[in-house]
Amino acid sequence: MVSYLARVEASTASTTAPPAWVVGLQRNDPATVRALYKEHFRTVKQYVLQNSGTTSDAEDMFQEAMTVLWLGVKEE
């Protein structure tokens, strides 16, 4: 799914269409959420752990960030 999103974004880069992940979040597509998680959670977890947090803290932080991202996409 991640490679699919990258191909779609690359093909729409020269237009005014939103990125594929935005469209996916607007449609409440579970595959888009999984792709975003797979692509970005490891980085968030590493950051949290390096700053004296736990894996649970990283999960909470990522969930909050995904909620804010989803709400931002829905409000536009």
Side-chain angles (χ1 to χ4, degrees):
M1 183 65 187
V2 174
S3 61
Y4 167 75
L5 290 175
R7 284 194 313 264
V8 171
E9 286 180 356
S11 67
T12 61
S14 62
T15 67
T16 58
W21 64 267
V22 171
V23 174
L25 289 178
Q26 288 171 335
R27 294 180 180 169
N28 298 320
D29 178 28
T32 299
V33 174
R34 281 192 298 274
L36 288 169
Y37 180 90
K38 186 176 181 180
E39 182 75 21
H40 300 287
F41 178 70
R42 187 179 343 179
T43 304
V44 171
K45 180 180 174 184
Q46 182 179 10
Y47 175 81
V48 171
L49 292 176
Q50 288 176 347
N51 289 281
S52 303
T54 65
T55 298
S56 180
D57 294 332
E59 291 168 350
D60 291 344
M61 185 178 184
F62 194 81
Q63 178 65 38
E64 181 68 25
M66 287 295 294
T67 301
V68 169
L69 179 64
W70 180 78
L71 288 172
V73 166
K74 288 292 192 173
E75 288 177 358
E76 285 199 22

